[in-house]
Amino acid sequence: MNSGYFRSMTTKKAIRALGLLVCVFTVSGTFAETEESVGTVSLVLGKAYLKSADKPQQLIRAGTLIHVSDQVETEANGHVHIQFVDNAYVSVRPDSRLEIVRYDFDATKPEDSSIKLNLVEGVTRAISGKGAKAARDRFRLNTPIAAIGVRGTDFVVSASGQSVRALVKEGAIVMAPFSSECLAANFGPCADNAVELTQDTMQVVQLDGSTPLPRLLPAPDERGPLSREEVEVAQTDSDAEEKAAGTDAYLEAVTSRKVTEVASNTVAPPKPPAVVLLPDLTPAQALSASTLATNQLVWGRYNGFAGQGANERITTTFAVAYADGREGTVKQGSLGSGGYHLFRAETGSQVIKPVDTGLVSFNLNSAQAFYSSNSGVVAMQVNSGNLDIDFGQRSFATRLGLNSNLTGKVDFSASGTIDETGIFYKNSDTQGLTGAVSIDGTEAGYFFDKQLKDGSIQGLTLWGAP
């Protein structure tokens, strides 16, 4: 064979090798390009960095793509806005670290989405997108000591290794400490030892080393990580443009807020403390018999009245409660010499047929509660409440926030099973609950009692599906 043949073969091998390399690089590039991002940085103030396990650390700029497992870390002057693929919005404030643990958004079936974020430390604001709104039981924001689930919402969280606080601007959140029943690996809100916080309550929910359970506290009036004034600042990128143009100073809040420089060096006088008014879900006046008669579930009372007579708010006489095809379902003792009975409209079958056979989060429509002690009986406020019933799993979880001058704030919580007839209950040595849902699963009501050191609490609730 002559040298020309070898040159020809060498050339052909080189061409084939080059083609193979081109294919490898093309495939590799395709893989890199098809690694789907889950969000895009829309605004950056100061310095912030993107950290990933398999990539070098990079400085975050507007337009930076966010992927699952990425961690956004801001410096003391850093602030990052992220727009996610389901139109969710997250703001990462200064000195914070937020990890994108999972972001599976199904645009064709949003209810099948799974989203999990981890606030390692610092402050973040999250506004739910289509994924969290459609799959509330598959959204989770973890912090070092507690899990937060949502009900389609806009909220702010401040977290460290020892404490976590949250404030709700719109919607509601559920906070629960990690436990054997509430694992960081799970999705959705936890029911065990959970506290719900809703909008317009002028409260924050907090968990720290001073108490084993989350508690509701008055919202701070001063400016700070969770100041309501700062939370309500408009979210616009125009602030960043003004800063780039060199206008005035900026106060870092949930979003950037322009602050006019005070000409003098005088210190402004402190604001007077805000008066925090807790909501009371007990009607100011007793609901009329005609109003109650429109419900599928109605609380009837023995002996004319059951609790404190004039303080009865959501009960009626047996004659009204028993009308319109209702039958007795739940019977309970009560304060004084009377008793309560929950009547339910039935259609011949006592087996419930809920419209939504999954997890339903009920709204607390009305409630009443009394505290009984040696000093007598007084009406209590019912400031908050949540009731989640999973008809598919045959389970329920509920919590109430109560208050009075004699007891201070009292939390009531319970969880258990619900049977095919819609009856649910949970009893212990110190408290009890018995209730029922309507046949179609759109209404619920329960009686509850709780023993305190110097007395006891008893009350009634009426709930409606959202």
Side-chain angles (χ1 to χ4, degrees):
M1 296 183 184
N2 58 35
S3 59
Y5 173 81
F6 285 109
R7 284 197 299 271
S8 175
M9 291 299 295
T10 302
T11 301
K12 290 179 181 179
K13 289 181 180 180
I15 291 174
R16 285 197 297 269
L18 180 59
L20 180 60
L21 288 173
V22 169
C23 290
V24 170
F25 282 121
T26 301
V27 172
S28 177
T30 301
F31 284 159
E33 291 173 359
T34 57
E35 183 184 354
E36 294 185 0
S37 61
V38 297
T40 305
V41 173
S42 60
L43 172 68
V44 182
L45 299 176
K47 285 189 176 181
Y49 298 92
L50 191 67
K51 296 184 176 181
S52 302
D54 56 346
K55 301 175 185 176
Q57 174 179 296
Q58 63 171 302
L59 189 68
I60 293 179
R61 305 179 186 278
T64 296
L65 298 180
I66 303 297
H67 299 82
V68 171
S69 79
D70 282 351
Q71 188 172 110
V72 175
E73 183 172 330
T74 57
E75 293 193 351
N77 67 339
H79 196 122
V80 175
H81 291 184
I82 304 171
Q83 187 77 32
F84 285 92
V85 290
D86 64 336
N87 290 325
Y89 164 89
V90 171
S91 169
V92 186
R93 289 192 55 188
D95 287 325
S96 300
R97 284 191 291 157
L98 179 72
E99 180 185 6
I100 316 303
V101 180
R102 186 167 175 178
Y103 217 99
D104 295 339
F105 172 62
D106 190 332
T108 58
K109 296 186 65 178
E111 63 274 15
D112 291 341
S113 302
S114 297
I115 299 170
K116 183 183 291 183
L117 307 176
N118 180 28
L119 181 59
V120 182
E121 63 176 343
V123 181
T124 189
R125 177 182 185 179
I127 301 177
S128 298
K130 295 178 181 178
K133 290 178 179 178
R136 297 179 299 184
D137 58 339
R138 299 288 297 169
F139 175 92
R140 169 74 70 82
L141 172 65
N142 282 337
T143 69
I145 63 173
I148 296 177
V150 304
R151 307 196 189 287
T153 195
D154 177 354
F155 64 102
V156 185
V157 179
S158 173
S160 67
Q162 294 75 41
S163 67
V164 57
R165 287 198 304 166
L167 179 148
V168 175
K169 184 176 184 294
E170 182 178 346
I173 63 172
V174 178
M175 180 187 292
F178 290 126
S179 66
S180 60
E181 302 296 327
C182 181
L183 302 176
N186 295 342
F187 285 85
C190 295
D192 191 55
N193 297 321
V195 169
E196 181 181 60
L197 177 65
T198 59
Q199 68 185 73
D200 301 327
T201 61
M202 294 300 292
Q203 293 177 300
V204 298
V205 58
Q206 176 173 308
L207 176 66
D208 55 34
S210 64
T211 175
L213 300 178
R215 52 181 175 168
L216 297 175
L217 302 172
D221 183 58
E222 74 280 359
R223 285 197 180 127
L226 298 182
S227 165
R228 181 171 291 274
E229 178 185 1
E230 303 293 35
V231 171
E232 293 176 349
V233 173
Q235 304 169 52
T236 64
D237 289 355
S238 61
D239 286 341
E241 295 170 1
E242 289 178 332
K243 182 177 182 181
T247 59
D248 300 326
Y250 277 73
L251 175 65
E252 291 292 349
V254 175
T255 56
S256 301
R257 179 184 182 185
K258 190 172 77 170
V259 179
T260 304
E261 184 177 2
V262 180
S264 66
N265 293 325
T266 59
V267 178
K271 292 182 180 180
V275 177
V276 178
L277 299 176
L278 297 176
D280 188 1
L281 297 171
T282 303
Q285 301 293 329
L287 298 179
S288 67
S290 59
T291 298
L292 290 169
T294 61
N295 295 344
Q296 297 183 66
L297 296 177
V298 178
W299 284 105
R301 58 180 184 266
Y302 289 103
N303 300 333
F305 66 88
Q308 278 298 97
N311 287 324
E312 286 289 327
R313 293 291 186 264
I314 65 171
T315 65
T316 186
T317 64
F318 265 28
V320 174
Y322 189 70
D324 300 322
R326 297 188 195 89
E327 299 290 341
T329 55
V330 174
K331 179 180 178 181
Q332 283 293 335
S334 69
L335 300 170
S337 60
Y340 298 109
H341 206 139
L342 183 62
F343 289 83
R344 178 174 68 182
E346 297 184 353
T347 58
S349 173
Q350 292 186 342
V351 177
I352 59 173
K353 297 179 180 179
V355 176
D356 188 339
T357 56
L359 177 65
V360 178
S361 297
F362 287 77
N363 298 319
L364 181 54
N365 292 336
S366 55
Q368 66 179 48
F370 301 102
Y371 172 63
S372 176
S373 67
N374 292 333
S375 301
V377 180
V378 297
M380 298 186 71
Q381 290 183 339
V382 182
N383 304 130
S384 62
N386 65 277
L387 171 63
D388 294 332
I389 296 181
D390 192 326
F391 290 102
Q393 298 296 321
R394 296 280 180 87
S395 65
F396 78 92
T398 188
R399 177 175 291 273
L400 296 172
L402 306 141
N403 192 16
S404 77
N405 292 333
L406 294 180
T407 62
K409 293 182 179 180
V410 178
D411 284 334
F412 175 88
S413 62
S415 60
T417 59
I418 178 171
D419 66 23
E420 65 176 5
T421 67
I423 307 299
F424 57 97
Y425 58 90
K426 184 69 174 183
N427 296 306
S428 69
D429 293 338
T430 58
Q431 68 176 44
L433 174 151
T434 307
V437 298
S438 60
I439 295 297
D440 64 0
T442 62
E443 296 181 21
Y446 65 73
F447 169 94
F448 65 95
D449 63 356
K450 183 180 179 72
Q451 296 295 317
L452 302 183
K453 180 178 180 182
D454 299 318
S456 63
I457 297 171
Q458 293 183 342
L460 307 173
T461 62
L462 287 173
W463 307 75

